[in-house]
Amino acid sequence: MTVMTDTRRPEGAGPMTVHDLEETPDDGRRRELIDGVLVVSPAPGLRHQTIAYRLYPVLDEACPLGYFVAGAPFAVRIGDHLELQPDLLVGRDEGFTELDLPEPPVLAVEVLSPSTAIHDLNTKKAVYERLGVPSYWVVDPGEPALAVFELDGDGVYQQVAKAAVDEVFEARKPFPVRVVPSELLGRLV
């Protein structure tokens, strides 16, 4: 299954809004809105979920006061035409509402799935860059590997690190944390 975009709207209706998104059915698929275009992804698989669930406590334990870690399906909702659901995100405490994060997170993490890899590595990466999200991590469950992107002085993502299998990544941004990709798979290694 692949990521689908849906641009079918009644003529003259304009782009979809986050309010339209609230009216879509809850069928287990992830629905995101990028510049008014609906992007639908299938429910994630076992390796994907295992990595997300095992990375969450690693980030949460290292998270300093003033920041908060949240996992999908928690939304980053900015304006009327943009809602993203990174697999994991870190934001400033004061930025969160009960329902969403209406400002860019300081870290967005996506775990690749066969159906979403191209979307995560291109479309979503470009949106996070445009929003000024300082750190973007992409975890590939296949190797397993972690690619780390950070904004440079011109606001463009540069890959600053890659850790594969048993290699250790020592993050400095948004806060110090140690990640070993193979440990995120637990018994699935």
Side-chain angles (χ1 to χ4, degrees):
M1 193 176 280
T2 59
V3 173
M4 301 177 302
T5 59
D6 188 351
T7 57
R8 292 173 290 155
R9 302 273 297 149
E11 192 168 324
M16 277 190 80
T17 69
V18 294
H19 306 293
D20 296 325
L21 197 57
E22 292 169 355
E23 302 299 318
T24 60
D26 184 5
D27 59 3
R29 294 183 178 148
R30 183 178 297 182
R31 286 177 169 74
E32 297 175 294
L33 197 59
I34 298 177
D35 299 328
V37 176
L38 177 63
V39 179
V40 181
S41 306
L46 181 63
R47 290 173 75 87
H48 180 285
Q49 288 297 82
T50 299
I51 286 172
Y53 287 143
R54 290 180 64 92
L55 183 55
Y56 180 94
V58 170
L59 290 171
D60 192 53
E61 190 173 302
C63 187
L65 290 175
Y67 294 93
F68 191 81
V69 180
F74 201 82
V76 173
R77 182 182 278 187
I78 299 174
D80 286 337
H81 298 98
L82 183 66
E83 181 172 312
L84 299 171
Q85 294 182 14
D87 292 307
L88 296 167
L89 65 90
V90 176
R92 292 176 180 80
D93 280 345
E94 68 272 4
F96 285 89
T97 72
E98 188 64 29
L99 301 175
D100 59 25
L101 180 63
E103 64 182 36
V106 296
L107 170 64
V109 180
E110 296 290 354
V111 180
L112 300 179
S113 294
S115 61
T116 65
I118 291 173
H119 179 62
D120 291 340
L121 291 168
N122 293 289
T123 309
K124 288 180 84 172
K125 181 181 168 199
V127 172
Y128 292 134
E129 181 181 80
R130 181 180 82 204
L131 293 174
V133 175
S135 297
Y136 179 51
W137 296 3
V138 178
V139 183
D140 180 349
E143 255 186 277
L146 168 65
V148 177
F149 300 89
E150 292 179 359
L151 292 176
D152 64 15
D154 295 323
V156 176
Y157 277 137
Q158 300 298 324
Q159 185 170 336
V160 296
K162 182 175 180 180
V165 191
D166 294 326
E167 295 174 335
V168 177
F169 170 61
E170 298 277 350
R172 291 175 285 139
K173 293 180 182 179
F175 47 78
V177 63
R178 179 184 182 275
V179 179
V180 179
S182 63
E183 291 177 1
L184 300 177
L185 281 173
R187 297 181 302 181
L188 297 177
V189 170

